[in-house]
């Protein structure tokens, strides 16, 4: 079990500030997901933890011991890359055994560990193949297998699913979740720009924005109590409605946030009224896009089949307890 | 390998890599210092001494005398000596520059033309490309001998062809004749090196995106204009690099001249005359001075070229 | 009609290019099959098929010696250069350190050296080491052009290898040496073969050093042997034998070049355009 602590960690590339002072506790054995828009520094932060990049300033501690200067292989980390990064000239077996070979493990141990990992991931029939002869999903399994074989304390993933097609992505996501449940003493850090992945996999999510931590918390916490408009807009699908102007002013805030499922359609006297300009039907439920005089249409989620026709004017009332209020700086007002 | 994270202070990754890089580079740099930097330094040193081939270590320092010195006779007449007032040297400089300029110009133009032909899709293109590699693959000495035979005054096939076509009325001693010796050298060099230029140009052409041409076609721009306005400017960086490499090659030309037109005053280049003095005439120090001058000339040429063209020879090195 | 004329003209140009490229070698071949007075009649098509020139060349112990010398020298030079260049190019392509660009420029500058500029100094060195008139003189001196070339080309190849593979290896605990020897080297075989071949051709064809650092006939390399081949007098060049020898030393090169055509073009452009 390894606990990871980042204390005021900074990273500069030349004069370019990429990570601007991150303080973060990753608990032993938890599944932490870094999420944020592209270019916000997620991969960089992960690579600082892995040791592939040098920390410019601040300290990184594993179980209380400073590891800033420890090389990656001695940190006990394993990493799964976006492009799989398999060694093209080696068989699947050799790919998975490479780290053990370098560490001069005995033949028996090597075979045993590779076999075990391969069985766990159901790739034991592929051990003699070259990466070229594998499908994308199989390659990603091999990459995960290679990481498992190293018996890591810390498991790092950098957008491991983004090269897979949608169906495979869901299946592999499940696989990774299963892995987390089986390897209970391994701390996992996972980078993604996809908030669905973050919500479904994470024990806790760390939302990054422009090289800084915006909010850390469980998926529920982030969903229910985003501390900024940024997090509110990033976590959850569809996006939380963020309304400015008079509507917000009426609630003593600069921006008012309300999720699509927290808006009720009321018969006559609603708080807001507007025309339905677009609908999306998902089968289990449906979304109404309502023009209520704000910059973007209000999205309202309704269960079951659509009953309201396009062009109809409806009255809406937000559930009072579910209203999020933000100040002019975008911070939540508690 | 699953060492605990509490492993004592190691060297950080980038320190480890820099250290390895240092040791990876040392043997290569040592080798280059040994076979390039040191000999270059010694050549320059010799050029300031009166060292002779037979007693390499007995040379005395004589300053710039190999380059230029003067003596005043009792009559008051000043006599200048040294390479810089040696007509044979200036003849060689002129030959070299003339050769480099004409050969590189011809090779660039012809190479570009061949590349444009090869850039088209036609039946048997692969074979043509293979065929033009042949002159490049043949060793220079062998080409020189092959052409010496073809350019032979009595039995050469070139004279025969030209006579049949009626371009000349009498056989020409191409390689021996003062007026034609340089032409002979140029013919062989252009024949041998145009393929190299063509391949570099072709690679450059293939890097130009196809849709640019299509856009031009749609706009109804004539092929010639497309070439001048689109192809050539885009090809320029590749062409510049090719031209500088070829020019440097041409400025140091030795083997072709030495074998095709031995001892011809009309073709003797700087490298040829320097080696002649160094090794054959036992004017070792004098030859060293000439070698040093050629080195300086090339160094100046390169600096000028980089400065004028602001060429990024280091490429992505600074990425 | 216009179109038709145009394509005829185009193919005419193609034919001219091919004929000009190939004719001298073709003519050397038909000459090599002629002996005696047949040599002095000018023929455009093969007229005789006499192998005695080839027999003469292959029976001459010095010719065989010089081929062996050349193979040994070019092989050793290239092997030595590749050995040093693989690790050096990893450092240059993959490790960020101060002065890297300058170092690359200096290496490129060495490859632009006029060879004559080091001739005097190398001559002294060769004499000093007591390797004058031995293959070692050439093996040592050819390093001056094979090494910068191989370093430069391998560096451009090495730069294009994917970063994540290297990082995966680092995570797996590979040292820089492991990365070079166990991960990159196996991935670079095509590049190594191409670079090696180009460097080999360069060493095989070298003339100035070989001419200067050898004295006896038995130590000559192929280019020197061919350049020095002469008859009993200046006016009796043994053209038949000369052409046979030329064809013999060129055919293997041409075959190699044709086999590795595509790779060679890639290698040349890596050293040139892309640089
Ligand atoms: N090696 C590097 N040199 C300079 N800038 C870099 C380097 N790596 C990443 N960056 C910059 O750091 C920022 C964050 O990159 P990254 O961590 O890859 O973002 P993310 O993974 O969140 O998309 C980007 O602006 C990127 O351009
Ligand atoms: Mg990323």
């Amino acid at each position: 079990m390894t606990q990871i602590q980042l204390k005021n960690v900074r990273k500069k590339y030349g004069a370019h500030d990429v990570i601007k002072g991150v303080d973060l506790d990753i608990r032993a054995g938890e599944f932490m997901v870094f999420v944020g828009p592209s270019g916000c520094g997620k991969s960089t932060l992960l690579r600082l933890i892995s040791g592939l990049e040098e920390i410019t300033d601040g300290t990184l501690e594993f179980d209380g011991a400073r590891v800033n200067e420890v090389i990656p292989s001695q940190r006990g980390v394993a990493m799964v890359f976006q492009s799989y990064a398999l060694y093209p000239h080696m068989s699947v077996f050799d790919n998975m055994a490479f780290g053990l070979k370098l560490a001069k493990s005995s033949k028996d141990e090597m075979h045993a560990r590779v076999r075990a990992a391969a069985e766990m991931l159901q790739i034991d029939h592929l051990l003699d193949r070259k990466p070229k002869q594998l499908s994308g999903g199989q390659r990603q399994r091999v990459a995960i297998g290679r990481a498992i074989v190293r018996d890591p304390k810390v498991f790092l993933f950098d957008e491991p699913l983004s090269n897979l097609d949608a169906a495979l992505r869901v299946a592999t996501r499940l696989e990774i979740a299963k892995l987390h449940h089986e390897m209970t003493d391994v701390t996992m850090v996972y980078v993604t720009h996809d908030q669905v992945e973050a919500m479904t996999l994470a024990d806790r999510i760390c939302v990054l924005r422009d090289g800084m931590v915006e909010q850390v918390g469980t998926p529920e916490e982030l969903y229910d109590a985003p501390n900024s408009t940024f997090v509110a807009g990033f976590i959850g699908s569809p996006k939380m409605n963020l309304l400015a102007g008079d509507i917000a002013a009426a609630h003593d805030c600069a921006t008012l946030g309300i999720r699509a499922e927290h808006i009720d359609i009321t018969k006559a006297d609603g708080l807001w009224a507007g025309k339905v300009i677009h609908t999306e039907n998902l089968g289990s439920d449906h979304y109404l896009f309502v023009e209520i005089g704000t910059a973007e249409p209000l999205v309202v989620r309704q269960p079951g089949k659509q009953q309201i026709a396009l062009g109809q004017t409806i009255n809406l009332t937000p559930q009072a307890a579910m209203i999020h209020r933000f100040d002019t700086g975008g911070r939540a007002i508690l | 390998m699953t060492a605990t994270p509490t492993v004592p202070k190691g060297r950080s990754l980038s320190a480890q890599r820099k250290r390895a890089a240092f040791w990876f580079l040392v043997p290569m740099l040592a080798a280059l210092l040994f076979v390039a930097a040191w000999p270059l330094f010694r050549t320059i040193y010799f050029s300031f001494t009166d060292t002779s081939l037979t007693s390499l270590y007995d040379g005395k320092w004589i300053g710039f005398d190999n380059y230029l010195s003067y003596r005043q006779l009792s009559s008051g007449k000043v006599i200048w000596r040294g390479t810089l007032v040696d007509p044979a040297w200036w003849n060689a400089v002129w030959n070299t520059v003339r050769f480099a300029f004409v050969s590189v110009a011809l090779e660039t133009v012809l190479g570009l033309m061949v590349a444009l032909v090869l850039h088209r899709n036609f039946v048997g293109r692969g074979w043509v490309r293979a065929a033009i590699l042949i002159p490049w693959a043949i060793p220079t000495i062998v080409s020189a001998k092959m052409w010496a035979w073809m350019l032979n005054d009595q039995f050469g096939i070139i004279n025969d062809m030209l006579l049949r076509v009626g371009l000349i009325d009498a056989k020409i001693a191409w390689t021996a004749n003062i007026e034609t010796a340089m032409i002979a050298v140029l013919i062989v060099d252009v024949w041998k090196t145009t393929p190299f230029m063509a391949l570099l140009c072709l690679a450059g052409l293939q890097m130009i995106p196809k849709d640019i041409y299509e856009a031009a076609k749609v706009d109804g721009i004539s092929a010639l204009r497309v070439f001048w306005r689109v192809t050539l400017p885009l090809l320029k960086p590749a062409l510049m690099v090719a031209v500088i490499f070829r020019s440097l090659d041409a400025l140091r030309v030795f083997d072709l001249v030495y074998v095709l037109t031995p001892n011809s005053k009309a073709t003797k280049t700087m490298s040829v005359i320097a080696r002649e003095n160094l090794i054959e005439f036992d004017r070792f120090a004098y030859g060293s001075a000439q070698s040093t001058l050629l080195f300086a000339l090339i160094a100046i040429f390169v600096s000028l070229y980089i400065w004028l063209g602001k060429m990024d020879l280091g490429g992505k090195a600074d990425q | 009609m216009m179109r038709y004329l145009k394509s005829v003209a185009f193919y005419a140009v193609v034919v001219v290019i091919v004929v000009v490229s190939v004719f001298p070698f073709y003519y050397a071949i038909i000459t090599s099959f002629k002996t005696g007075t047949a040599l002095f009649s000018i023929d455009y098509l093969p007229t005789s098929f006499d192998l005695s020139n080839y027999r003469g060349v292959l029976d001459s112990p010095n010719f065989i010696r010089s081929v062996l010398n050349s193979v040994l020298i070019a092989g050793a030079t290239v092997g030595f250069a590749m050995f040093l260049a693989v690790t050096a190019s990893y450092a240059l392509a993959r490790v960020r350190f101060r002065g890297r660009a300058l170092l690359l420029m200096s290496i490129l500058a060495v490859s632009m050296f006029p060879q004559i500029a080091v001739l005097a100094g190398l001559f002294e060195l060769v004499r000093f080491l007591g390797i004058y008139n031995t293959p070692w003189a050439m093996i040592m001196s050819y390093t001056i052009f094979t090494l910068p070339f191989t370093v430069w080309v391998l560096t451009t190849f090495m730069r294009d290898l994917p970063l994540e593979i290297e990082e995966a290896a680092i995570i797996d605990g590979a040292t820089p040496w492991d990365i070079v020897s166990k991960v990159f080297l196996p991935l670079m075989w095509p590049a190594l073969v191409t670079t090696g071949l180009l460097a080999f051709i360069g060493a095989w064809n070298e003339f100035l050093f070989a001419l200067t650092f050898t004295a006896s006939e038995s130590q000559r390399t192929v280019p020197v042997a061919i350049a020095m081949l002469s008859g009993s007098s200046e006016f009796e060049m043994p053209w038949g034998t000369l052409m046979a020898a030329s064809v013999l030393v060129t055919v293997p090169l041409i075959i190699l070049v044709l086999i590795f055509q595509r790779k060679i073009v890639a290698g040349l452009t890596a050293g040139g355009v892309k640089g």
Side-chain angles (χ1 to χ4, degrees):
Chain A
M1 298 279 256
T2 296
Q3 177 203 23
I4 303 169
Q5 272 186 309
L6 292 90
K7 292 180 180 164
N8 196 23
V9 166
R10 289 170 189 277
K11 176 67 189 176
K12 281 186 189 182
Y13 288 112
H16 183 36
D17 256 325
V18 178
I19 300 294
K20 303 167 184 168
V22 166
D23 285 291
L24 182 65
D25 265 340
I26 302 173
R27 295 176 197 142
E30 86 171 330
F31 199 116
M32 169 65 85
V33 175
F34 293 167
V35 71
S38 176
C40 69
K42 307 176 296 289
S43 299
T44 306
L45 196 56
L46 192 75
R47 292 157 57 81
L48 292 176
I49 295 174
S50 73
L52 287 171
E53 292 285 353
E54 215 161 346
I55 294 170
T56 311
D57 200 11
T59 36
L60 172 68
E61 291 177 1
F62 279 20
D63 286 334
R66 178 185 160 100
V67 292
N68 286 39
E69 287 82 22
V70 177
I71 62 169
S73 55
Q74 289 175 353
R75 293 187 187 191
V77 301
M79 188 152 167
V80 176
F81 296 87
Q82 183 173 353
S83 66
Y84 322 130
L86 299 178
Y87 312 118
H89 58 293
M90 296 184 199
S91 68
V92 168
F93 180 90
D94 290 332
N95 260 284
M96 290 170 69
F98 188 60
L100 296 180
K101 263 186 203 152
L102 290 174
K104 306 217 161 35
S105 304
S106 73
K107 273 241 148 53
D108 294 338
E109 191 194 350
M110 201 155 79
H111 276 270
R113 276 162 74 170
V114 171
R115 286 249 154 245
E119 271 162 30
M120 187 164 159
L121 293 162
Q122 292 150 11
I123 47 171
D124 39 340
H125 59 294
L126 303 174
L127 286 176
D128 295 328
R129 299 225 192 139
K130 290 272 169 65
K132 252 201 305 265
Q133 303 161 302
L134 302 177
S135 69
Q138 289 171 330
R139 282 180 212 188
Q140 194 53 283
R141 278 158 188 265
V142 175
I144 293 172
R146 176 172 65 184
I148 294 176
V149 166
R150 303 197 63 239
D151 190 15
K153 306 265 184 233
V154 177
F155 216 129
L156 308 173
F157 299 86
D158 191 353
E159 312 222 10
L161 305 184
S162 56
N163 280 349
L164 301 178
D165 61 43
L168 215 50
R169 205 175 301 174
V170 174
T172 314
R173 199 169 76 199
L174 222 68
E175 202 78 37
I176 292 175
K178 219 174 77 193
L179 209 63
H180 172 50
H181 294 308
E182 281 166 26
M183 305 172 77
T184 45
D185 56 348
V186 177
T187 310
M188 298 193 172
V189 185
Y190 186 106
V191 163
T192 180
H193 63 268
D194 178 357
Q195 60 92 20
V196 178
E197 266 174 46
M199 296 293 284
T200 50
L201 284 170
D203 291 333
R204 286 198 306 153
I205 295 175
C206 171
V207 181
L208 289 170
R209 177 193 190 182
D210 202 14
M212 283 185 289
V213 175
E214 190 77 7
Q215 189 174 4
V216 185
T218 62
E220 295 75 41
E221 279 166 9
L222 295 196
Y223 191 83
D224 296 339
N227 69 1
S228 67
T229 48
F230 179 80
V231 176
F234 199 83
I235 300 288
S237 172
K239 229 168 94 98
M240 180 186 285
N241 294 297
L242 292 171
L243 314 169
D246 295 341
I247 291 177
H251 288 84
D252 290 329
C253 61
T255 310
L256 181 146
I258 181 78
R259 294 209 182 270
E261 67 267 32
H262 297 146
I263 303 173
D264 298 328
I265 300 178
T266 40
K267 282 276 173 300
D269 49 320
L271 190 57
W272 308 322
K275 203 164 89 176
V276 177
I277 56 166
H278 177 66
T279 61
E280 277 176 359
N281 215 323
L282 299 178
S284 59
D285 43 27
H286 62 274
Y287 301 134
L288 304 171
F289 292 71
V290 187
E291 176 64 63
I292 58 165
T294 47
E296 281 175 51
L298 191 74
V299 185
V300 180
R301 180 176 184 165
Q302 289 288 300
K305 294 270 174 294
Q306 183 183 336
Q307 272 141 20
I308 295 159
L310 208 62
Q312 202 176 324
T313 299
I314 53 175
N315 291 308
L316 301 163
T317 305
Q319 297 167 11
M322 297 300 176
I323 288 178
H324 303 269
R325 299 186 308 137
F326 302 96
D327 63 20
T328 45
R331 295 284 136 199
I333 303 169
L334 299 175
Chain B
M1 54 160 279
T2 52
T4 52
T6 48
V7 158
K9 299 240 171 333
R11 223 179 284 278
S12 79
L13 183 66
S14 80
Q16 182 203 41
R17 286 168 66 79
K18 278 182 189 147
R19 225 174 107 90
F22 175 78
W23 288 112
F24 282 0
L25 286 167
V26 161
M28 188 260 313
L29 291 175
L32 283 185
L33 282 180
F34 186 68
V35 298
W38 171 251
L40 176 67
F41 168 76
R42 289 300 285 176
T43 301
I44 296 172
Y45 170 78
F46 284 138
S47 75
F48 294 110
T49 66
D50 61 357
T51 308
S52 87
L53 191 62
T54 41
S55 54
L56 285 172
Y57 297 100
D58 298 337
K60 284 190 309 294
W61 182 269
I62 56 166
F64 281 93
D65 285 6
N66 286 319
Y67 296 92
L68 192 62
S69 69
Y70 68 92
R71 204 166 39 161
Q72 196 156 22
L73 298 183
S74 47
S75 62
K77 203 173 154 221
V78 176
I79 296 181
W80 293 90
R81 287 158 150 274
T83 306
L84 291 176
V85 288
D86 184 347
W89 168 250
W90 287 110
N91 176 54
V93 172
W94 171 234
N95 282 341
T96 312
V97 172
R98 200 164 48 139
F99 167 79
F101 184 79
V102 178
S103 69
V104 174
L106 283 176
E107 283 153 19
T108 310
V109 173
L110 290 175
L112 193 55
M113 280 161 57
V114 174
L116 286 171
V117 168
L118 285 180
H119 194 48
R120 296 257 301 255
N121 252 323
F122 61 90
V123 191
R125 180 167 74 156
W127 289 100
V128 177
R129 200 170 59 175
I132 68 159
L133 269 171
I134 289 177
W136 177 81
I138 296 175
T140 309
I141 301 303
V142 172
S143 331
K145 285 294 184 189
M146 273 166 30
W147 279 91
W149 171 232
M150 286 171 52
L151 291 167
N152 187 287
D153 50 348
Q154 289 306 308
F155 315 110
I157 196 163
I158 301 288
N159 275 339
D160 186 65
M161 283 179 194
L162 295 176
L163 279 173
R164 278 172 198 251
V165 184
L167 279 176
I168 53 172
D169 338 306
K171 291 182 170 175
I172 297 178
W174 289 97
T175 55
N177 207 325
I178 292 281
E179 284 96 61
T180 54
M182 182 55 95
I183 296 176
V185 171
L186 283 168
I187 290 174
V188 183
D189 194 69
V190 168
W191 175 78
K192 180 162 167 49
T193 318
T194 300
F196 174 78
M197 276 302 224
L199 290 177
L200 287 188
C201 291
L202 184 61
L205 283 175
Q206 281 164 348
M207 284 195 286
I208 300 176
K210 285 246 177 349
D211 38 352
I212 292 187
Y213 293 110
E214 261 133 46
K217 212 183 230 170
V218 171
D219 293 348
I221 301 171
S222 78
L224 208 62
R225 264 174 78 102
V226 171
F227 175 76
W228 284 111
R229 294 288 177 81
V230 180
T231 315
L232 211 53
L234 285 173
L235 203 57
K236 204 179 133 207
L239 215 52
M240 292 263 283
V241 177
V243 165
I244 190 173
F245 275 89
R246 271 308 302 149
S247 306
L248 295 174
D249 248 7
L251 285 174
R252 61 190 178 190
V253 62
F254 173 81
D255 37 11
L256 176 59
V257 175
Y258 185 90
V259 172
L260 189 66
T261 58
N263 290 319
S264 170
K265 191 170 175 289
T267 57
K268 206 168 271 184
T269 60
M270 288 189 266
S271 285
V272 174
I273 200 171
R275 183 184 178 278
E276 200 172 74
N277 282 316
L278 271 171
I279 307 293
E280 280 156 27
F281 296 169
D282 193 10
R283 299 169 75 192
F284 194 73
Y286 194 68
S288 296
Q290 295 180 329
S291 306
T292 306
L293 285 176
L294 174 57
F295 174 75
L297 180 81
I298 288 189
I300 292 170
F301 178 81
V302 173
S303 330
L304 266 183
Y305 203 98
I306 291 175
W307 183 60
L308 287 178
K310 297 221 169 39
M311 193 174 40
D312 186 15
L313 282 176
K316 294 179 279 181
D318 297 294
Q319 68 194 340
Chain C
M1 189 60 200
M2 197 55 201
R3 255 183 99 125
Y4 179 72
L5 273 182
K6 256 189 175 167
S7 92
V8 166
F10 179 76
Y11 274 96
V13 172
V14 171
V15 168
V16 169
I17 291 172
V18 172
V19 168
V20 171
S21 303
V22 176
F23 186 80
F25 191 59
Y26 159 81
Y27 194 62
I29 295 174
I30 60 175
T31 305
S32 69
F33 290 127
K34 291 184 189 176
T35 45
T37 49
L39 270 172
F40 305 115
S41 70
I42 297 164
D43 301 301
Y44 289 80
L45 296 171
T47 47
S48 63
F49 189 74
D50 184 340
L51 288 173
S52 55
N53 286 324
Y54 286 93
R55 245 173 256 131
V57 170
L58 293 174
D59 282 346
S60 134
N62 278 332
F63 181 77
I64 304 294
R65 259 313 283 266
S66 59
V67 170
L68 291 178
N69 286 339
S70 275
V71 170
L72 169 75
I73 290 168
T77 313
V78 172
F80 180 63
M82 296 290 259
F83 179 72
L84 295 183
V86 167
T87 52
S89 59
Y90 172 81
L92 288 168
R94 288 296 183 153
V95 183
R96 261 175 285 172
F97 57 89
R98 241 179 310 142
R100 179 169 68 163
L102 187 72
L103 199 57
L104 264 171
M105 283 298 290
S106 326
I107 289 164
L108 189 66
V110 174
S111 74
M112 294 178 178
F113 263 32
Q115 287 178 24
I116 193 80
V118 289
L119 192 70
L122 269 180
F123 188 82
E124 184 204 14
L125 197 57
V126 162
R127 275 290 165 87
F128 175 79
L129 296 172
I131 54 175
Y132 180 75
N133 202 28
T134 70
W136 293 109
M138 271 70 75
I139 293 173
M140 184 186 83
S141 53
Y142 288 3
T143 303
I144 197 174
F145 58 87
T146 50
L147 187 55
F149 172 78
T150 43
V151 168
W152 184 259
V153 177
L154 289 183
T155 301
T156 60
F157 273 115
M158 195 93 76
R159 244 182 228 153
D160 293 340
L161 293 176
L163 180 65
E164 289 198 341
I165 288 189
E166 186 180 0
E167 294 186 335
I170 293 173
I171 298 271
D172 266 340
T175 62
W177 172 248
D178 291 326
I179 295 172
V180 173
S181 60
K182 300 199 175 89
V183 180
F184 278 0
L185 213 49
L187 293 180
M188 296 230 320
W189 271 117
L192 289 177
V193 170
T194 314
T195 317
L197 184 66
L198 288 171
F200 188 92
I201 290 177
W204 180 271
N205 294 352
E206 202 284 337
F207 183 64
L208 176 58
F209 291 158
L211 178 71
T212 309
F213 299 146
T214 55
S216 54
E217 249 181 87
S218 65
Q219 294 298 326
R220 284 175 181 164
T221 62
V222 165
V224 181
I226 286 181
M228 296 294 164
L229 202 70
S230 57
S232 39
S233 81
E234 202 190 322
F235 303 101
E236 273 180 60
M237 279 297 279
W239 288 110
T241 325
L242 187 57
M243 290 302 132
S246 298
V247 170
L248 280 178
V249 302
T250 307
V251 163
L253 281 191
I254 290 185
I255 291 173
L256 277 177
V257 166
L258 293 187
I259 291 175
F260 290 103
Q261 221 198 108
R262 278 176 188 284
K263 298 239 159 85
I264 283 180
V265 174
L268 284 176
T269 45
V273 181
K274 241 167 66 183

